[in-house]
Amino acid sequence: MGDVTPASLPPILLVLGDEELLATRAVSEAVARARSVDPDVDVREYQAGSLAVGEIAEMLSPSLFGGRRVLVLRAGQDARKDLVTALLGYAKNPDPDVQLVVLHLGGAKGKAFADGLRAAGATVVPAAKLKGDRERAAFVRDEIRRSGGKCTADAAEALVAAVGNDMRELAAACSQLLADTDGRIGADTVARYYRGRAEVTGFTVADATMVGDVPAALEALRWALHIGVDPVPIADALADGVRTVARVAAAGRGAPFQLAKSLGMPAWKIEKAQQRARGWTPEGLVEAMRAAAECNAAVKGGADDRAYALERAVFSVAAARQGGGR
């Protein structure tokens, strides 16, 4: 936490965004910092939508008994106009013994309140939902770094693939890994812990197939089927993997963010497909699309052995990559 002094506590803190974990953490850290300055700090929480102006005046007026106060105002976007006016007036000349923490979802609703607090010099703590796997992987690395550990980029990506998008689950997974290791976390550590979870999606099968890693694709496929993943989404993911690489390869060279609009897919997906496209020829992709389509028809048409149809597709798609010439 470093050295915290009364002067280093911002009089107004605006926690802006709709990611509950980050917002909750920002409030906890603000309260902890205030307590390190004054262990007897008076912490009060209010819902902005149900708070009357008279109550706010009482909360923010200098206390007869002195002492530090932290006032947490939740759902700031719901504050009524008269409350917003009163708070923005207060923000121009805040009490140094009071810390006002306003949580605001950051959308269009109540935007004038958030903008006004920012203009008045509020310290802004971003708490927006993380977009895409890259931001979530950065969160994982930062989470582990904050606790004194080290995490490689591929380990962070593997953890996001294993655990998913829920921030609380990701934070809990980071804590678990730190508790059970020496703090140095590589992709092998994540694979050891999350073998069952990291390899259950059709996309894991498709990714390994598209780069020609048949053993990894088959291992992922067998594990997915073993724990009960339906064959249909696996077949869909394989077809989607081939189709995406074909579309991106046909679009020619270009930065992912520039191609995103014309291809109608997110930049991170284009970047991933560009990496997967290395080693493929147009002829190979045509052959792979045929194999993926046959697999889809077999799996969705109720073939007797859908697992065999999927395995055959993995071999056929990987062979199309090899046979397509480089």
Side-chain angles (χ1 to χ4, degrees):
M1 202 178 284
D3 293 330
V4 183
T5 63
S8 70
L9 295 175
I12 300 175
L13 205 62
L14 173 61
V15 181
L16 201 57
D18 54 352
E19 176 51 66
E20 192 197 344
L21 173 75
L22 299 179
T24 302
R25 187 176 281 180
V27 173
S28 303
E29 287 179 1
V31 170
R33 287 172 72 87
R35 286 211 169 108
S36 71
V37 168
D38 175 4
D40 299 321
V41 65
D42 182 8
V43 180
R44 300 185 190 187
E45 292 203 13
Y46 301 87
Q47 287 292 330
S50 57
L51 192 62
V53 173
E55 293 174 275
I56 201 89
E58 189 183 320
M59 282 161 45
L60 297 171
S61 59
S63 168
L64 294 172
F65 308 105
R68 177 162 290 280
R69 275 173 292 164
V70 175
L71 306 177
V72 180
L73 195 62
R74 295 191 176 273
Q77 70 282 349
D78 296 337
R80 293 191 295 269
K81 268 188 183 170
D82 54 350
L83 181 62
V84 168
T85 305
L87 285 169
L88 292 182
Y90 167 80
K92 289 174 185 161
N93 187 22
D95 183 333
D97 286 333
V98 175
Q99 188 175 32
L100 176 64
V101 181
V102 177
L103 284 84
H104 191 295
L105 288 179
K109 187 180 183 187
K111 187 172 184 296
F113 184 25
D115 290 348
L117 288 173
R118 187 181 276 157
T123 299
V124 180
V125 180
K129 274 195 169 35
L130 302 186
K131 294 183 181 73
D133 288 347
R134 182 175 288 173
E135 284 191 14
R136 283 185 274 271
F139 166 78
V140 165
R141 295 190 79 183
D142 190 48
E143 190 75 359
I144 287 168
R145 201 180 296 121
R146 278 159 55 109
S147 301
K150 279 188 177 174
C151 175
T152 61
D154 54 352
E157 286 166 15
L159 193 63
V160 171
V163 175
N165 300 345
D166 186 280
M167 298 292 287
R168 287 186 184 281
E169 286 192 20
L170 279 173
C174 292
S175 298
Q176 189 66 52
L177 283 171
L178 284 163
D180 294 345
T181 64
D182 63 359
R184 284 175 303 208
I185 294 158
D188 55 334
T189 324
V190 177
R192 221 168 35 246
Y193 271 76
Y194 289 94
R195 172 140 251 133
R197 292 183 70 178
E199 294 167 354
V200 298
T201 71
F203 292 105
T204 317
V205 179
D207 283 348
T209 306
M210 291 308 292
V211 294
D213 190 346
V214 174
L218 291 177
E219 185 187 348
L221 172 61
R222 285 162 189 163
W223 177 259
L225 294 171
H226 171 69
I227 61 167
V229 176
D230 190 284
V232 170
I234 302 176
D236 282 340
L238 193 57
D240 181 69
V242 177
R243 201 164 43 240
T244 302
V245 166
R247 282 183 66 199
V248 169
R253 293 188 176 183
F257 68 91
Q258 288 172 328
L259 295 172
K261 196 167 185 184
S262 60
L263 292 177
M265 61 176 84
W268 64 266
K269 192 171 184 181
I270 292 171
E271 187 178 8
K272 197 171 174 183
Q274 285 176 331
Q275 291 163 358
R276 301 274 178 274
R278 290 178 196 137
W280 280 97
T281 63
E283 297 77 17
L285 284 165
V286 167
E287 187 55 42
M289 285 172 99
R290 189 180 299 126
E294 279 176 15
C295 171
N296 241 308
V299 168
K300 290 174 184 175
D304 289 343
D305 192 344
R306 300 196 296 171
Y308 172 69
L310 285 164
E311 284 198 7
R312 196 176 60 192
V314 167
F315 281 113
S316 300
V317 170
R321 183 177 185 273
Q322 299 291 115
R326 295 190 186 194

